[in-house]
Amino acid sequence: MKAAFLFPGQGSQKVGMGQDINNNFAESRTLFEAANNILGYDLAKLCFEGPEEQLKQTVYTQPALYVTSCAALSALRSRVNIEPFAVAGHSIGEYAALFAAGAMKFDTGLSLVCKRAELMQAAAAKSPGAMVAVLGIDADVADACCADAKAEVGGVAVVANYNCPGQIILSGTVEAVTRAGELAKERGAKRAMPLAVSGAFHSPLMAAAGDELYASLRAALFQQAKIPVVTNVNAEFSKSGADFAPLLTMQVSGSVRWEESMRLLLAEGVTRFIELGSGDVLAGLMKRIDKSVRVVSVQDSESLEAAVALLTEPEEPTVAVEAGPDRLIYHIVKREVWDAASARGEYRSESLATEGFIHCSRIGQVAETGNRHYRARAGLTLLEIDTSKLSVEVKFEGAENAETFPHIYGPLPLSAVVRVIDFPAGPDGRFKLPNELSN
């Protein structure tokens, strides 16, 4: 079983955040009390009682989210001794992820979060901007809307967050972002909603704040992470302490590549996700990215116990399957690669060269495999293979998620391919079982 811990960002804050966890877990109370001492004001009272308008201010929102996430993590660790495969945090949540990974101490993270918030609020006051949530278009269309808006009215318009299929956040100068939202609606977006934020976060208008923050990040001397961290700006794993200061600097004005980050974890076989902190925004995004995985948002004692149950739930036993003489299996391949193989008279996949076998799927796993490994790629095809015509070894082995995927140990002779079936992604970017197989 592979699990990942996720930490929410701005927009997840709400009055009452962290209160139940604080009341029921001494480990959480310790962190809230430490935060009060470091900050010089009662952060716990602000989180638990408000006022809401103050909690919405960036200089208070960011430390509130950081402390609440760290408190939820500490409570969870007091109940179960299981570390995740990796961690990731959305925007300010990346600081809680670094704490979870052991790359920095709690008080170091809180000091950095406060500095980040102050600098971003100052940048917002100096360079006013706006953010717009756009629903129902893909990333390429959003990028084009931003480019065209800048060409028409000038200013700055960029994608701040690539959150999930059909949800993208734009950021920049007011006129340019407003125009980009209008263009998005003209090009098929269901909605373009202005967000109640104080600045154009994750846009070039925040670049000066990131540059000034860099000195504090460098001075923090991040440690080697004990757990891989999926970072926002490149959607890649990192454990090197030397990486975090420049990556967090770029994050202030760069795009949050959340969907890519989650797909990276899915591709690594992560099937259980624990969201730690306030709200369930990240759980909602994951439902749009991959409905098959299981997510628990830890906000109180009850949801914490649900997370413990998910993390300790045993895997279903792997079922051994014998290859029958008429068994059909399916392999996903780029059309151009298959065309070249056909011309040569033999197919050898990249996996055969690196791992010694060719990955295949059974019919019920075709769409899942496509969505996990080939998200929204064009030019894919399915090879329907008759195992009785293979002269090489075939094994049906259990994978980590307890499903069985056939492996062909050796090259694939063309004579074993029964059909070649087109495998395009649908309008939502997701693969579905082709009509030829569903009938």
Side-chain angles (χ1 to χ4, degrees):
M1 179 270 291
K2 286 184 179 179
F5 290 174
L6 310 179
F7 300 92
Q10 200 144 330
S12 298
Q13 70 276 4
K14 59 182 180 180
V15 174
M17 57 193 286
Q19 185 170 12
D20 183 87
I21 293 288
N22 177 81
N23 291 344
N24 289 284
F25 293 90
E27 296 80 6
S28 300
R29 285 196 297 277
T30 297
L31 292 187
F32 272 108
E33 290 167 2
N36 289 348
N37 292 331
I38 293 169
L39 296 172
Y41 65 87
D42 196 339
L43 177 72
K45 184 177 181 180
L46 177 60
C47 289
F48 305 160
E49 302 176 15
E52 184 177 0
E53 288 306 311
Q54 183 179 357
L55 188 59
K56 286 182 178 179
Q57 296 175 33
T58 298
V59 290
Y60 296 109
T61 301
Q62 294 193 31
L65 287 168
Y66 171 76
V67 174
T68 301
S69 285
C70 293
L73 171 71
S74 297
L76 180 66
R77 283 177 167 167
S78 74
R79 288 284 293 109
V80 62
N81 185 28
I82 295 177
E83 290 294 357
F85 169 75
V87 295
H90 191 288
S91 189
I92 187 62
E94 195 161 68
Y95 287 78
L98 290 168
F99 169 69
M104 66 181 184
K105 295 180 179 179
F106 171 77
D107 55 351
T108 300
L110 182 56
S111 297
L112 291 173
V113 164
C114 290
K115 184 68 172 179
R116 179 182 189 268
E118 291 168 4
L119 292 171
M120 290 175 70
Q121 183 162 295
K126 183 177 181 180
S127 302
M131 299 182 77
V132 171
V134 178
L135 307 181
I137 59 173
D138 62 26
D140 291 339
V141 175
D143 290 336
C145 290
C146 289
D148 293 345
K150 287 188 289 185
E152 286 184 27
V153 303
V156 173
V158 297
V159 174
N161 301 347
Y162 297 93
N163 280 337
C164 68
Q167 187 188 115
I168 288 172
I169 310 298
L170 310 182
S171 183
T173 50
V174 176
E175 187 177 7
V177 169
T178 301
R179 180 56 184 150
E182 294 170 348
L183 290 172
K185 291 186 70 174
E186 293 172 10
R187 297 174 188 182
K190 296 177 182 177
R191 299 178 70 184
M193 304 175 295
L195 300 181
V197 294
S198 59
F201 303 133
H202 297 290
S203 82
L205 298 183
M206 294 288 120
D211 291 343
E212 192 169 347
L213 180 63
Y214 181 61
S216 297
L217 293 168
R218 281 291 302 274
L221 299 176
F222 292 98
Q223 302 299 306
Q224 179 84 359
K226 299 174 183 177
I227 303 166
V229 181
V230 186
T231 54
N232 287 181
V233 296
N234 58 12
E236 295 177 356
F237 292 115
S238 181
K239 292 180 71 175
S240 171
D243 290 344
F244 298 130
L247 288 171
L248 290 172
T249 299
M250 291 185 286
Q251 186 228 57
V252 174
S253 57
S255 301
V256 175
R257 295 163 61 180
W258 189 253
E259 182 180 353
E260 285 180 76
S261 298
M262 296 303 97
R263 295 203 179 282
L264 176 65
L265 292 169
L266 292 168
E268 290 293 330
V270 177
T271 57
R272 304 182 190 190
F273 293 81
I274 307 298
E275 179 179 4
L276 292 150
S278 175
D280 57 2
V281 171
L282 301 184
L285 298 182
M286 182 55 73
K287 289 179 182 178
R288 300 285 301 274
I289 295 170
D290 191 331
K291 293 181 180 179
S292 69
V293 300
R294 301 169 67 185
V295 188
V296 172
S297 298
V298 175
Q299 306 175 60
D300 51 28
S301 300
E302 182 179 356
S303 54
L304 187 144
E305 293 307 318
V308 171
L310 180 61
L311 291 171
T312 56
E313 180 181 286
E315 292 284 347
E316 296 179 6
T318 301
V319 179
V321 181
E322 296 297 328
D326 59 349
R327 180 173 295 279
L328 296 177
I329 57 178
Y330 298 87
H331 177 65
I332 303 173
V333 63
K334 293 180 181 178
R335 167 68 75 167
E336 60 194 45
V337 174
W338 172 247
D339 289 343
S342 299
R344 292 195 307 270
E346 183 183 72
Y347 173 70
R348 290 176 175 269
S349 70
E350 292 181 2
S351 62
L352 181 63
T354 59
E355 298 177 292
F357 55 85
I358 296 173
H359 294 275
C360 293
S361 299
R362 295 185 296 176
I363 187 169
Q365 300 160 320
V366 167
E368 177 189 351
T369 303
N371 286 316
R372 181 170 294 175
H373 297 288
Y374 300 96
R375 174 71 174 162
R377 289 190 188 174
L380 295 181
T381 191
L382 277 177
L383 305 182
E384 186 176 70
I385 302 162
D386 184 346
T387 59
S388 67
K389 297 181 180 180
L390 289 173
S391 57
V392 294
E393 183 182 14
V394 181
K395 287 186 178 180
F396 293 73
E397 298 183 341
E400 285 190 1
N401 57 2
E403 297 168 339
T404 52
F405 289 88
H407 296 157
I408 301 174
Y409 287 83
L412 178 63
L414 303 190
S415 59
V417 178
V418 180
R419 288 191 294 171
V420 179
I421 305 168
D422 285 333
F423 192 42
D428 61 353
R430 293 185 63 80
F431 294 105
K432 298 176 178 62
L433 195 65
N435 291 333
E436 292 92 333
L437 302 179
S438 58
N439 294 332

